[in-house]
Short mmCIF file of all heavy atoms in Angstrom, two decimals:
data_model
loop_
_atom_site.label_atom_id
_atom_site.label_comp_id
_atom_site.label_asym_id
_atom_site.label_seq_id
_atom_site.Cartn_x
_atom_site.Cartn_y
_atom_site.Cartn_z
N MET A 1 40.60 -82.87 -13.81
CA MET A 1 39.22 -83.55 -13.73
C MET A 1 38.46 -82.76 -12.60
O MET A 1 37.86 -81.70 -12.85
CB MET A 1 39.33 -85.09 -13.38
CG MET A 1 40.06 -85.88 -14.34
SD MET A 1 40.19 -87.53 -13.93
CE MET A 1 41.23 -88.12 -15.23
N LEU A 2 38.46 -83.26 -11.46
CA LEU A 2 37.69 -82.51 -10.41
C LEU A 2 38.65 -81.65 -9.68
O LEU A 2 39.22 -81.95 -8.67
CB LEU A 2 37.12 -83.61 -9.44
CG LEU A 2 36.11 -84.53 -10.08
CD1 LEU A 2 35.62 -85.66 -9.05
CD2 LEU A 2 34.82 -83.82 -10.62
N SER A 3 38.89 -80.52 -10.22
CA SER A 3 39.82 -79.60 -9.61
C SER A 3 39.13 -79.07 -8.33
O SER A 3 37.93 -78.69 -8.31
CB SER A 3 40.15 -78.50 -10.54
OG SER A 3 38.91 -77.76 -10.98
N GLY A 4 39.99 -78.95 -7.25
CA GLY A 4 39.55 -78.40 -6.07
C GLY A 4 39.12 -79.54 -5.08
O GLY A 4 39.05 -79.40 -3.92
N MET A 5 38.88 -80.73 -5.69
CA MET A 5 38.46 -81.90 -4.86
C MET A 5 39.69 -82.71 -4.68
O MET A 5 40.24 -83.29 -5.69
CB MET A 5 37.41 -82.66 -5.50
CG MET A 5 36.03 -81.83 -5.47
SD MET A 5 35.09 -82.32 -4.07
CE MET A 5 34.68 -83.94 -4.25
N ALA A 6 40.15 -82.93 -3.47
CA ALA A 6 41.26 -83.81 -3.23
C ALA A 6 40.88 -85.30 -3.11
O ALA A 6 40.11 -85.61 -2.14
CB ALA A 6 41.99 -83.40 -1.95
N LEU A 7 41.19 -86.07 -4.15
CA LEU A 7 40.71 -87.44 -4.06
C LEU A 7 41.87 -88.30 -3.79
O LEU A 7 42.90 -88.24 -4.38
CB LEU A 7 40.17 -87.82 -5.48
CG LEU A 7 38.91 -87.07 -5.82
CD1 LEU A 7 38.31 -87.59 -7.18
CD2 LEU A 7 37.74 -87.34 -4.84
N ARG A 8 41.74 -89.12 -2.82
CA ARG A 8 42.76 -90.06 -2.40
C ARG A 8 42.06 -91.58 -2.43
O ARG A 8 40.93 -91.68 -2.03
CB ARG A 8 43.21 -89.76 -1.00
CG ARG A 8 43.76 -88.39 -0.87
CD ARG A 8 45.05 -88.23 -1.74
NE ARG A 8 45.51 -86.77 -1.77
CZ ARG A 8 46.23 -86.18 -0.76
NH1 ARG A 8 46.65 -86.88 0.31
NH2 ARG A 8 46.53 -84.99 -0.97
N PRO A 9 42.89 -92.44 -2.79
CA PRO A 9 42.40 -93.83 -2.79
C PRO A 9 42.08 -94.26 -1.42
O PRO A 9 42.91 -94.14 -0.54
CB PRO A 9 43.51 -94.59 -3.45
CG PRO A 9 44.73 -93.82 -3.28
CD PRO A 9 44.24 -92.39 -3.29
N CYS A 10 40.99 -94.88 -1.23
CA CYS A 10 40.63 -95.39 0.06
C CYS A 10 41.59 -96.59 0.43
O CYS A 10 41.77 -97.49 -0.48
CB CYS A 10 39.20 -95.94 0.09
SG CYS A 10 38.72 -96.92 1.48
N PRO A 11 42.21 -96.57 1.58
CA PRO A 11 43.18 -97.60 1.90
C PRO A 11 42.62 -99.01 1.89
O PRO A 11 43.20 -99.99 1.86
CB PRO A 11 43.60 -97.22 3.32
CG PRO A 11 43.37 -95.79 3.43
CD PRO A 11 42.07 -95.55 2.53
N THR A 12 41.35 -99.11 2.07
CA THR A 12 40.70 -100.36 2.12
C THR A 12 40.12 -100.87 0.82
O THR A 12 40.48 -102.02 0.42
CB THR A 12 39.49 -100.27 3.18
OG1 THR A 12 39.93 -99.83 4.43
CG2 THR A 12 38.75 -101.62 3.35
N CYS A 13 39.48 -100.01 0.09
CA CYS A 13 38.93 -100.55 -1.22
C CYS A 13 39.40 -99.77 -2.42
O CYS A 13 39.02 -100.07 -3.50
CB CYS A 13 37.37 -100.37 -1.06
SG CYS A 13 36.73 -98.67 -1.13
N ARG A 14 40.36 -98.87 -2.11
CA ARG A 14 41.02 -98.11 -3.27
C ARG A 14 40.13 -97.22 -4.06
O ARG A 14 40.42 -96.79 -5.10
CB ARG A 14 41.55 -99.21 -4.21
CG ARG A 14 42.65 -100.11 -3.59
CD ARG A 14 43.85 -99.43 -3.09
NE ARG A 14 44.84 -100.39 -2.70
CZ ARG A 14 45.92 -100.00 -2.16
NH1 ARG A 14 46.32 -98.74 -2.03
NH2 ARG A 14 46.85 -100.85 -1.67
N THR A 15 39.01 -96.98 -3.58
CA THR A 15 38.06 -96.05 -4.25
C THR A 15 38.49 -94.59 -4.01
O THR A 15 38.78 -94.20 -2.96
CB THR A 15 36.65 -96.24 -3.72
OG1 THR A 15 36.17 -97.49 -3.85
CG2 THR A 15 35.67 -95.20 -4.37
N PRO A 16 38.64 -93.89 -5.18
CA PRO A 16 38.96 -92.53 -5.07
C PRO A 16 38.01 -91.80 -4.14
O PRO A 16 36.86 -91.77 -4.40
CB PRO A 16 38.88 -91.99 -6.44
CG PRO A 16 38.99 -93.19 -7.27
CD PRO A 16 38.52 -94.39 -6.58
N THR A 17 38.52 -91.20 -3.08
CA THR A 17 37.68 -90.66 -2.10
C THR A 17 37.94 -89.18 -1.81
O THR A 17 39.17 -88.79 -1.73
CB THR A 17 37.93 -91.46 -0.72
OG1 THR A 17 37.64 -92.78 -0.91
CG2 THR A 17 37.00 -90.94 0.31
N ALA A 18 36.88 -88.47 -1.66
CA ALA A 18 37.13 -87.06 -1.33
C ALA A 18 37.39 -86.81 0.09
O ALA A 18 36.79 -87.38 0.93
CB ALA A 18 35.89 -86.15 -1.74
N TRP A 19 38.44 -86.04 0.40
CA TRP A 19 38.86 -85.88 1.76
C TRP A 19 38.01 -84.74 2.47
O TRP A 19 37.78 -84.70 3.62
CB TRP A 19 40.32 -85.64 1.89
CG TRP A 19 41.08 -86.88 1.88
CD1 TRP A 19 40.82 -87.93 1.08
CD2 TRP A 19 42.34 -87.08 2.55
NE1 TRP A 19 41.80 -88.91 1.35
CE2 TRP A 19 42.67 -88.41 2.22
CE3 TRP A 19 43.04 -86.39 3.49
CZ2 TRP A 19 43.85 -89.03 2.71
CZ3 TRP A 19 44.21 -86.96 4.01
CH2 TRP A 19 44.58 -88.27 3.67
N GLU A 20 37.73 -83.73 1.54
CA GLU A 20 37.01 -82.59 2.14
C GLU A 20 35.71 -82.89 2.60
O GLU A 20 34.83 -83.50 1.80
CB GLU A 20 37.02 -81.50 1.00
CG GLU A 20 38.28 -80.87 0.74
CD GLU A 20 38.18 -79.70 -0.25
OE1 GLU A 20 37.29 -78.81 0.06
OE2 GLU A 20 38.92 -79.64 -1.18
N GLY A 21 35.33 -82.63 3.90
CA GLY A 21 34.12 -82.90 4.41
C GLY A 21 33.80 -84.44 4.69
O GLY A 21 32.74 -84.82 4.83
N ASN A 22 34.91 -85.16 4.61
CA ASN A 22 34.73 -86.62 4.84
C ASN A 22 35.27 -86.90 6.23
O ASN A 22 36.44 -86.89 6.46
CB ASN A 22 35.50 -87.36 3.77
CG ASN A 22 35.45 -88.85 3.98
OD1 ASN A 22 34.66 -89.31 4.82
ND2 ASN A 22 36.21 -89.61 3.27
N PRO A 23 34.32 -87.27 7.07
CA PRO A 23 34.66 -87.65 8.44
C PRO A 23 35.46 -88.88 8.58
O PRO A 23 36.08 -89.19 9.64
CB PRO A 23 33.35 -87.57 9.24
CG PRO A 23 32.33 -88.04 8.12
CD PRO A 23 32.89 -87.39 6.89
N PHE A 24 35.38 -89.71 7.57
CA PHE A 24 36.04 -91.00 7.60
C PHE A 24 37.31 -91.02 6.94
O PHE A 24 37.87 -92.18 6.72
CB PHE A 24 35.02 -92.00 6.98
CG PHE A 24 33.74 -91.98 7.59
CD1 PHE A 24 32.59 -91.63 6.76
CD2 PHE A 24 33.46 -92.23 8.93
CE1 PHE A 24 31.31 -91.53 7.35
CE2 PHE A 24 32.22 -92.24 9.50
CZ PHE A 24 31.12 -91.91 8.65
N LYS A 25 37.75 -89.92 6.44
CA LYS A 25 39.05 -89.96 5.75
C LYS A 25 40.20 -90.55 6.54
O LYS A 25 40.23 -90.32 7.77
CB LYS A 25 39.47 -88.47 5.27
CG LYS A 25 39.79 -87.54 6.43
CD LYS A 25 40.02 -86.19 5.91
CE LYS A 25 40.39 -85.26 7.14
NZ LYS A 25 40.54 -83.91 6.65
N PRO A 26 41.04 -91.25 5.93
CA PRO A 26 41.26 -91.33 4.52
C PRO A 26 40.36 -92.48 3.89
O PRO A 26 40.60 -92.77 2.78
CB PRO A 26 42.75 -91.76 4.39
CG PRO A 26 43.05 -92.60 5.62
CD PRO A 26 42.19 -91.92 6.70
N PHE A 27 39.52 -92.97 4.66
CA PHE A 27 38.61 -94.00 4.10
C PHE A 27 37.44 -93.39 3.39
O PHE A 27 37.02 -92.19 3.65
CB PHE A 27 38.11 -94.89 5.29
CG PHE A 27 39.29 -95.46 6.01
CD1 PHE A 27 39.63 -94.88 7.14
CD2 PHE A 27 39.94 -96.64 5.60
CE1 PHE A 27 40.68 -95.37 7.88
CE2 PHE A 27 40.98 -97.18 6.28
CZ PHE A 27 41.39 -96.52 7.46
N CYS A 28 36.79 -94.14 2.57
CA CYS A 28 35.73 -93.64 1.76
C CYS A 28 34.41 -93.70 2.46
O CYS A 28 33.45 -92.95 2.23
CB CYS A 28 35.57 -94.40 0.48
SG CYS A 28 34.95 -96.16 0.74
N SER A 29 34.36 -94.46 3.58
CA SER A 29 33.11 -94.67 4.21
C SER A 29 33.43 -95.19 5.71
O SER A 29 34.55 -95.63 5.99
CB SER A 29 32.10 -95.50 3.58
OG SER A 29 32.70 -96.81 3.48
N GLU A 30 32.38 -95.20 6.46
CA GLU A 30 32.51 -95.68 7.84
C GLU A 30 32.75 -97.25 7.79
O GLU A 30 33.53 -97.78 8.63
CB GLU A 30 31.30 -95.44 8.61
CG GLU A 30 31.41 -95.94 10.09
CD GLU A 30 30.12 -95.63 10.88
OE1 GLU A 30 29.19 -95.25 10.23
OE2 GLU A 30 30.18 -95.75 12.13
N ARG A 31 32.25 -97.78 6.77
CA ARG A 31 32.37 -99.20 6.60
C ARG A 31 33.85 -99.57 6.42
O ARG A 31 34.33 -100.56 7.05
CB ARG A 31 31.52 -99.74 5.45
CG ARG A 31 31.44 -101.28 5.43
CD ARG A 31 31.00 -101.75 4.08
NE ARG A 31 29.89 -101.01 3.47
CZ ARG A 31 29.24 -101.33 2.39
NH1 ARG A 31 29.66 -102.39 1.74
NH2 ARG A 31 28.36 -100.48 1.91
N CYS A 32 34.45 -98.85 5.48
CA CYS A 32 35.91 -99.16 5.22
C CYS A 32 36.75 -98.87 6.44
O CYS A 32 37.71 -99.47 6.71
CB CYS A 32 36.26 -98.43 3.95
SG CYS A 32 35.75 -99.17 2.47
N GLN A 33 36.42 -97.81 7.12
CA GLN A 33 37.18 -97.32 8.34
C GLN A 33 37.03 -98.53 9.34
O GLN A 33 38.15 -98.85 9.91
CB GLN A 33 36.62 -96.08 8.88
CG GLN A 33 37.46 -95.59 10.03
CD GLN A 33 36.75 -94.42 10.65
OE1 GLN A 33 35.66 -94.42 10.95
NE2 GLN A 33 37.57 -93.29 10.84
N THR A 34 35.92 -99.00 9.56
CA THR A 34 35.71 -100.01 10.58
C THR A 34 36.46 -101.25 10.08
O THR A 34 37.02 -101.94 10.95
CB THR A 34 34.16 -100.23 10.76
OG1 THR A 34 33.52 -99.05 11.05
CG2 THR A 34 33.94 -101.27 11.81
N ARG A 35 36.30 -101.62 8.83
CA ARG A 35 36.83 -102.81 8.35
C ARG A 35 38.37 -102.83 8.61
O ARG A 35 39.02 -103.69 9.01
CB ARG A 35 36.57 -103.02 6.93
CG ARG A 35 37.22 -104.30 6.40
CD ARG A 35 37.02 -104.48 4.91
NE ARG A 35 35.60 -104.62 4.63
CZ ARG A 35 34.89 -103.83 3.87
NH1 ARG A 35 35.47 -102.74 3.33
NH2 ARG A 35 33.51 -104.00 3.62
N ASP A 36 38.93 -101.63 8.28
CA ASP A 36 40.44 -101.51 8.34
C ASP A 36 40.90 -101.62 9.88
O ASP A 36 41.83 -102.30 10.16
CB ASP A 36 40.85 -100.22 7.70
CG ASP A 36 42.43 -100.09 7.74
OD1 ASP A 36 42.97 -100.65 6.80
OD2 ASP A 36 43.03 -99.46 8.57
N LEU A 37 40.24 -100.94 10.66
CA LEU A 37 40.57 -100.94 12.09
C LEU A 37 40.34 -102.34 12.65
O LEU A 37 41.11 -102.82 13.41
CB LEU A 37 39.70 -99.93 12.83
CG LEU A 37 40.01 -98.43 12.49
CD1 LEU A 37 39.13 -97.62 13.24
CD2 LEU A 37 41.49 -98.18 12.81
N GLY A 38 39.33 -103.01 12.18
CA GLY A 38 39.00 -104.26 12.68
C GLY A 38 39.91 -105.44 12.12
O GLY A 38 39.93 -106.54 12.58
N ALA A 39 40.51 -105.02 10.97
CA ALA A 39 41.31 -106.05 10.34
C ALA A 39 42.50 -106.51 11.18
O ALA A 39 42.99 -107.68 11.07
CB ALA A 39 41.83 -105.51 9.03
N TRP A 40 43.01 -105.63 12.09
CA TRP A 40 44.21 -105.95 12.85
C TRP A 40 43.83 -106.90 13.99
O TRP A 40 44.64 -107.57 14.48
CB TRP A 40 44.82 -104.69 13.31
CG TRP A 40 45.19 -103.81 12.17
CD1 TRP A 40 44.45 -102.60 11.91
CD2 TRP A 40 46.09 -103.92 11.18
NE1 TRP A 40 45.04 -102.04 10.78
CE2 TRP A 40 46.01 -102.77 10.29
CE3 TRP A 40 47.07 -104.93 10.89
CZ2 TRP A 40 46.83 -102.67 9.15
CZ3 TRP A 40 47.89 -104.81 9.77
CH2 TRP A 40 47.78 -103.67 8.92
N SER A 41 42.63 -106.86 14.37
CA SER A 41 42.23 -107.66 15.47
C SER A 41 41.24 -108.83 15.10
O SER A 41 40.86 -109.57 15.89
CB SER A 41 41.50 -106.71 16.59
OG SER A 41 40.40 -106.11 16.01
N SER A 42 40.97 -108.82 13.83
CA SER A 42 40.16 -109.92 13.34
C SER A 42 40.88 -110.71 12.28
O SER A 42 41.68 -110.15 11.45
CB SER A 42 38.83 -109.39 12.87
OG SER A 42 38.00 -110.38 12.19
N GLU A 43 40.48 -111.89 12.09
CA GLU A 43 41.15 -112.60 11.01
C GLU A 43 40.41 -112.69 9.70
O GLU A 43 40.84 -113.17 8.69
CB GLU A 43 41.38 -114.12 11.48
CG GLU A 43 40.01 -114.78 11.79
CD GLU A 43 40.23 -116.18 12.40
OE1 GLU A 43 40.67 -117.03 11.47
OE2 GLU A 43 40.04 -116.40 13.50
N SER A 44 39.30 -112.00 9.75
CA SER A 44 38.38 -111.91 8.55
C SER A 44 38.77 -110.76 7.72
O SER A 44 37.84 -109.98 7.49
CB SER A 44 36.94 -111.89 9.04
OG SER A 44 36.72 -110.83 9.88
N TYR A 45 39.97 -110.68 7.35
CA TYR A 45 40.35 -109.53 6.47
C TYR A 45 40.28 -109.96 5.14
O TYR A 45 41.00 -110.72 4.61
CB TYR A 45 41.84 -109.08 6.89
CG TYR A 45 42.24 -107.85 5.96
CD1 TYR A 45 41.89 -106.65 6.39
CD2 TYR A 45 43.08 -108.01 4.97
CE1 TYR A 45 42.18 -105.51 5.70
CE2 TYR A 45 43.44 -106.98 4.19
CZ TYR A 45 43.04 -105.68 4.60
OH TYR A 45 43.44 -104.67 3.90
N ARG A 46 39.29 -109.47 4.43
CA ARG A 46 39.15 -109.70 2.99
C ARG A 46 38.49 -108.59 2.30
O ARG A 46 37.77 -107.71 2.80
CB ARG A 46 38.20 -110.92 2.85
CG ARG A 46 36.86 -110.75 3.58
CD ARG A 46 36.23 -112.09 3.79
NE ARG A 46 35.04 -111.90 4.71
CZ ARG A 46 34.36 -112.93 5.27
NH1 ARG A 46 34.82 -114.16 4.93
NH2 ARG A 46 33.34 -112.81 5.95
N LEU A 47 38.78 -108.53 1.01
CA LEU A 47 38.25 -107.51 0.16
C LEU A 47 36.88 -107.76 -0.32
O LEU A 47 36.49 -108.95 -0.64
CB LEU A 47 39.15 -107.24 -1.08
CG LEU A 47 40.60 -106.87 -0.71
CD1 LEU A 47 41.45 -106.76 -1.99
CD2 LEU A 47 40.66 -105.59 0.02
N PRO A 48 36.04 -106.80 -0.31
CA PRO A 48 34.62 -107.01 -0.66
C PRO A 48 34.32 -107.00 -2.11
O PRO A 48 33.20 -107.21 -2.57
CB PRO A 48 33.94 -105.74 -0.03
CG PRO A 48 34.99 -104.65 -0.16
CD PRO A 48 36.35 -105.38 0.05
N GLU A 49 35.36 -106.83 -2.95
CA GLU A 49 35.18 -106.70 -4.37
C GLU A 49 34.52 -108.02 -5.05
O GLU A 49 33.44 -108.05 -5.48
CB GLU A 49 36.44 -106.27 -5.05
CG GLU A 49 36.82 -104.96 -4.52
CD GLU A 49 38.12 -104.50 -5.28
OE1 GLU A 49 38.53 -105.06 -6.21
OE2 GLU A 49 38.63 -103.52 -4.85
N LYS A 50 35.43 -109.05 -4.97
CA LYS A 50 34.92 -110.27 -5.63
C LYS A 50 35.35 -111.47 -4.84
O LYS A 50 36.52 -111.72 -4.82
CB LYS A 50 35.35 -110.41 -7.10
CG LYS A 50 36.75 -109.80 -7.37
CD LYS A 50 37.00 -109.78 -8.80
CE LYS A 50 38.35 -109.08 -9.04
NZ LYS A 50 38.71 -108.99 -10.46
N PRO A 51 34.45 -112.16 -4.21
CA PRO A 51 34.73 -113.30 -3.47
C PRO A 51 35.29 -114.52 -4.39
O PRO A 51 34.53 -114.79 -5.35
CB PRO A 51 33.40 -113.72 -2.78
CG PRO A 51 32.33 -113.11 -3.69
CD PRO A 51 32.99 -111.84 -4.23
N LYS A 52 36.37 -114.92 -4.09
CA LYS A 52 36.93 -116.03 -4.92
C LYS A 52 36.37 -117.45 -4.50
O LYS A 52 37.04 -118.13 -3.75
CB LYS A 52 38.50 -116.00 -4.82
CG LYS A 52 39.01 -114.72 -5.55
CD LYS A 52 40.46 -114.93 -5.65
CE LYS A 52 41.00 -113.75 -6.50
NZ LYS A 52 42.50 -113.79 -6.63
N GLU A 53 35.20 -117.66 -4.98
CA GLU A 53 34.61 -118.96 -4.72
C GLU A 53 35.21 -120.08 -5.59
O GLU A 53 35.54 -121.15 -5.05
CB GLU A 53 33.10 -118.84 -4.98
CG GLU A 53 32.39 -117.86 -4.11
CD GLU A 53 32.38 -118.28 -2.65
OE1 GLU A 53 32.24 -119.46 -2.43
OE2 GLU A 53 32.34 -117.43 -1.76
N GLU A 54 35.37 -119.75 -6.81
CA GLU A 54 35.94 -120.73 -7.74
C GLU A 54 37.47 -120.78 -7.50
O GLU A 54 38.19 -119.80 -7.53
CB GLU A 54 35.71 -120.40 -9.19
CG GLU A 54 36.07 -118.94 -9.51
CD GLU A 54 35.61 -118.71 -10.98
OE1 GLU A 54 35.79 -119.53 -11.76
OE2 GLU A 54 35.16 -117.59 -11.22
N ASP A 55 37.87 -122.00 -7.34
CA ASP A 55 39.31 -122.04 -6.99
C ASP A 55 39.85 -123.50 -7.44
O ASP A 55 39.38 -124.49 -6.99
CB ASP A 55 39.48 -121.92 -5.53
CG ASP A 55 40.90 -122.09 -5.10
OD1 ASP A 55 41.75 -121.17 -5.33
OD2 ASP A 55 41.40 -123.05 -4.61
N GLY A 56 40.71 -123.44 -8.29
CA GLY A 56 41.46 -124.68 -8.69
C GLY A 56 40.99 -125.34 -9.97
O GLY A 56 41.53 -126.25 -10.39
N GLU A 57 39.98 -124.72 -10.57
CA GLU A 57 39.51 -125.32 -11.96
C GLU A 57 39.72 -124.37 -13.01
O GLU A 57 39.46 -123.19 -12.90
CB GLU A 57 38.01 -125.62 -11.82
CG GLU A 57 37.83 -126.84 -10.89
CD GLU A 57 36.47 -127.55 -11.17
OE1 GLU A 57 36.43 -128.35 -12.10
OE2 GLU A 57 35.49 -127.25 -10.62
N GLY A 58 40.29 -124.91 -14.16
CA GLY A 58 40.38 -124.04 -15.30
C GLY A 58 41.99 -123.92 -15.62
O GLY A 58 42.30 -123.98 -16.67
N TRP A 59 42.72 -123.76 -14.50
CA TRP A 59 44.22 -123.55 -14.80
C TRP A 59 44.87 -124.87 -14.69
O TRP A 59 46.02 -124.94 -15.03
CB TRP A 59 44.79 -122.59 -13.77
CG TRP A 59 44.48 -122.98 -12.39
CD1 TRP A 59 43.45 -122.61 -11.59
CD2 TRP A 59 45.34 -123.76 -11.55
NE1 TRP A 59 43.59 -123.22 -10.40
CE2 TRP A 59 44.63 -123.93 -10.33
CE3 TRP A 59 46.56 -124.43 -11.76
CZ2 TRP A 59 45.27 -124.74 -9.32
CZ3 TRP A 59 47.09 -125.18 -10.80
CH2 TRP A 59 46.43 -125.33 -9.54
N SER A 60 44.33 -125.81 -14.07
CA SER A 60 45.06 -127.13 -13.79
C SER A 60 44.98 -128.07 -15.00
O SER A 60 45.67 -129.07 -14.98
CB SER A 60 44.46 -127.74 -12.51
OG SER A 60 43.06 -127.97 -12.70
N ASP A 61 44.06 -127.72 -15.99
CA ASP A 61 43.92 -128.74 -17.02
C ASP A 61 45.15 -128.84 -17.88
O ASP A 61 45.35 -129.86 -18.53
CB ASP A 61 42.66 -128.30 -17.82
CG ASP A 61 42.86 -127.06 -18.51
OD1 ASP A 61 43.57 -126.19 -18.02
OD2 ASP A 61 42.17 -126.78 -19.58
N GLU A 62 46.00 -127.87 -17.92
CA GLU A 62 47.22 -127.85 -18.64
C GLU A 62 48.27 -128.79 -18.05
O GLU A 62 49.22 -129.16 -18.68
CB GLU A 62 47.87 -126.50 -18.92
CG GLU A 62 48.30 -125.83 -17.54
CD GLU A 62 48.76 -124.54 -17.80
OE1 GLU A 62 49.79 -124.36 -18.57
OE2 GLU A 62 48.25 -123.51 -17.33
N LEU A 63 48.04 -129.09 -16.82
CA LEU A 63 48.97 -130.04 -16.17
C LEU A 63 48.61 -131.56 -16.46
O LEU A 63 49.36 -132.41 -16.18
CB LEU A 63 48.89 -129.83 -14.64
CG LEU A 63 49.37 -128.46 -14.25
CD1 LEU A 63 49.22 -128.35 -12.68
CD2 LEU A 63 50.74 -128.09 -14.61
N GLU A 64 47.41 -131.78 -17.05
CA GLU A 64 46.99 -133.12 -17.24
C GLU A 64 47.43 -133.53 -18.56
O GLU A 64 46.70 -133.84 -19.45
CB GLU A 64 45.46 -133.23 -17.01
CG GLU A 64 44.97 -132.83 -15.65
CD GLU A 64 43.47 -133.10 -15.62
OE1 GLU A 64 42.98 -134.02 -16.08
OE2 GLU A 64 42.81 -132.18 -14.91
N GLU A 65 48.75 -133.59 -18.78
CA GLU A 65 49.19 -134.06 -19.94
C GLU A 65 49.86 -135.43 -19.86
O GLU A 65 51.10 -135.55 -19.59
CB GLU A 65 50.31 -132.97 -20.41
CG GLU A 65 50.82 -133.25 -21.83
CD GLU A 65 51.72 -132.08 -22.34
OE1 GLU A 65 51.32 -130.89 -22.18
OE2 GLU A 65 52.71 -132.45 -22.89
N ASP A 66 49.07 -136.41 -19.87
CA ASP A 66 49.62 -137.75 -19.51
C ASP A 66 49.57 -138.70 -20.75
O ASP A 66 48.65 -139.02 -21.23
CB ASP A 66 48.61 -138.33 -18.46
CG ASP A 66 49.36 -139.48 -17.78
OD1 ASP A 66 50.50 -139.27 -17.14
OD2 ASP A 66 48.79 -140.59 -17.75
ZN1 ZN B 101 36.64 -97.70 0.93
#
């Protein structure tokens, strides 16, 4: 595919990231770098992809077999 470009998954968001010329490697961006470093000293470690707001509905109806 992109020969010559070394792509590695960002440890934080798993986005294929170019290492060459990337000051934030192995992260894709400063944001991910900061998040990863801050994750160890902060309890707000969460992935930015999709916030799981819905929780508990949909899967529990199969238990209601009364
Ligand atoms: Zn990232």
Side-chain angles (χ1 to χ4, degrees):
M1 299 180 185
L2 299 175
S3 57
M5 290 270 289
L7 294 180
R8 302 295 170 82
C10 170
T12 301
C13 71
R14 303 293 186 181
T15 298
T17 304
W19 278 37
E20 289 189 47
N22 178 8
F24 307 115
K25 67 184 179 183
F27 304 95
C28 69
S29 64
E30 182 179 13
R31 191 200 313 185
C32 281
Q33 183 184 52
T34 302
R35 181 184 295 117
D36 186 80
L37 293 178
W40 306 107
S41 57
S42 175
E43 59 183 291
S44 58
Y45 183 77
R46 54 197 171 192
L47 298 178
E49 298 183 7
K50 37 189 172 181
K52 291 189 174 183
E53 297 291 329
E54 52 183 321
D55 182 73
E57 289 203 84
W59 57 269
S60 60
D61 60 336
E62 63 181 299
L63 297 178
E64 297 181 41
E65 189 175 310
D66 200 54

